[in-house]
Structure formats: C-alpha cells, structure tokens
C-alpha cells in the first residue's frame, strides 16, 4: 500500500486496512497502516534523516512533504469507477503519523492516509456501475461503502465478506484474488470489484410501510363511508 514501497523486505509485522466510501460525486479512500516490532523500528529509522537515533516533528514534516510529492501520481491507480469511464481527480490528500517521534524503538507506529477524489461526470441514476479497488495480500480488512440508494449486483475480490448494512450498502472483508476474462484468457489480480445499480422505487425500505399505511387509510375510509350510509 502507500508506505509498503518504503521498506524493501516483506512486512510480516505490519497490518493494513482500507476504508472506501463512494458517493455519486466523490470517493474517499482511507488507508490505515500499523507497524510493530522490527517494522516499526525500521520505519522510524527511515524517518531519522540526521541519523541521531531520534525522530523529530521536523523530520516527520519533511518526510510527509517529500513522500506526497513523489507518490501522488500513484494515488490515481488505487481506484477506478465504471472501468475508468468516470474520471477521478484528486481533491485533497492528508498523511498523518502517530507515535512516530522520539527514540527509534519497536513500539507500534500508525500511519493514516486519506485521499479524496472528485468524480466527473457524477454517477447517473440509470444503468449499472462498478467500483474497482486495488488489493494486496497484506490488507487484513477492507471496508467498502456504496452510494446511498444503490443495490449490490456482484462482488469479486473480497474474502470472508460480511454485509454490515444494506442502504447504504457496506461490505467488509479481506483483500483477495479476483478472476475475470480478458479476451479469451482467464486473468487473476489482487483487487476488489463491485457492480451495483440504482435502487428501484419499490426496493426502498420505506415503500412497504408506506403501502401498508395507505391500505389502512383506505380501510378506515371505507368503514367511515359504510357507517355514514
């Protein structure tokens, strides 16, 4: 993920989580990273620009500035809407490090990256839509929220999926492998791909109570008319 490229060796002691919130005119991707033990000390060492075995706020600020400047183009590769037919543009990016200052130790270190995208054009009410999110074997939790008023058609690339909510649809799972056809060949990738559509009027949660209420009113009205007669 965002800071995975910072360390050359595999990070068995790092934990990654993604939170994706899609709206009809925007998308927010939040990446949570937790570094423990050896990974934490190596991360702090990479922040220690003057090699004095102590990380300062100034060094963190310098790291954030240089990192965001060099990695910003890659942020455009993390998500796609409608197979790239909807253009995403960067609205804002924030990078926060917690428990990073002080001596270089193996204490837990936390990194949160929030990327806000704008969508053009906005998602229309007609037709099907799709959301593609880059995956990785180290992502232990991926939470995806679709726009309010939409229905999930299919989901691929999320393992151990749990539906947390149905409107808006919120899914949570572990980053897995998605298989799909590219021409005549079966292809595999670490990515989640969700297809969804606008909820029909009769599929909204308020429709059944509304119809029941109308029916009761009609019954009461019929009884009133009968009594008057």
């Amino acid at each position: 993920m965002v800071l995975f490229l910072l360390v050359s060796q595999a990070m068995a002691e790092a934990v990654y989580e993604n939170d994706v919130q899609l709206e009809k005119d925007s998308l927010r991707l939040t990446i949570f990273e937790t570094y423990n033990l050896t990974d934490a000390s190596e991360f702090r060492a990479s922040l220690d620009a003057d090699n004095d075995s102590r990380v300062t706020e100034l060094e963190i600020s310098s790291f954030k500035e240089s990192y965001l400047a060099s990695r910003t183009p890659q942020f455009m590769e993390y998500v796609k809407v409608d197979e790239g037919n909807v253009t995403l543009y960067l609205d804002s990016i924030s990078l926060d490090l917690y428990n990073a200052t002080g001596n270089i130790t193996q204490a837990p270190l936390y990194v949160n990256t929030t990327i806000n995208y704008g969508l053009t054009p906005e998602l229309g009410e007609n037709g099907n839509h799709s959301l593609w999110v880059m995956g990785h074997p180290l992502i232990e939790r991926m939470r995806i929220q679709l726009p309010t008023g939409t229905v999930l058609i299919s989901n691929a690339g999320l393992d151990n999926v749990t539906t947390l909510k149905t409107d808006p649809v919120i899914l949570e799972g572990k980053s897995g492998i998605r298989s799909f056809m590219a021409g005549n060949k079966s292809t595999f990738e670490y990515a989640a791909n969700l297809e969804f559509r606008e909820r029909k009027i009769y599929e909204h949660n308020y429709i059944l109570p509304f119809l029941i209420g109308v029916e009761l009113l009609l019954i009461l009205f019929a009884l009133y008319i009968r009594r008057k007669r």
Side-chain angles (χ1 to χ4, degrees), residues 76-141:
M76 303 306 300
E77 302 174 2
Y78 289 167
V79 288
K80 293 179 183 178
V81 178
D82 287 358
E83 299 181 349
N85 293 320
V86 170
T87 300
L88 273 66
Y89 58 90
L90 288 176
D91 197 14
S92 65
I93 306 172
S94 63
L95 175 64
D96 298 299
L97 282 71
Y98 302 96
N99 199 34
T101 58
N103 296 330
I104 295 179
T105 66
Q106 293 189 347
L109 186 155
Y110 309 94
V111 183
N112 294 351
T113 306
T114 300
I115 311 164
N116 291 302
Y117 304 85
L119 274 62
T120 180
E122 297 181 5
L123 297 181
E125 295 183 357
N126 299 320
N128 295 351
H129 300 285
S130 65
L131 170 64
W132 180 93
V133 184
M134 180 185 293
H136 193 280
L138 295 181
I139 300 177
E140 292 294 328
R141 184 187 70 89

Side-chain angles (χ1 to χ4, degrees), residues 175-221:
S175 181
I177 297 176
R178 170 194 174 224
S179 62
F180 60 100
M181 297 299 296
N184 296 323
K185 296 182 179 180
S186 182
T187 306
F188 302 88
E189 66 176 0
Y190 255 105
N193 192 74
L194 280 65
E195 295 185 357
F196 59 97
R197 61 169 173 80
E198 190 78 13
R199 190 182 296 270
K200 306 294 184 183
I201 187 169
Y202 56 81
E203 295 177 311
H204 286 275
N205 295 333
Y206 61 81
I207 289 299
L208 182 59
F210 173 76
L211 293 176
I212 293 175
V214 170
E215 185 176 358
L216 289 174
L217 286 175
L218 291 174
I219 292 173
L220 291 174
F221 182 72

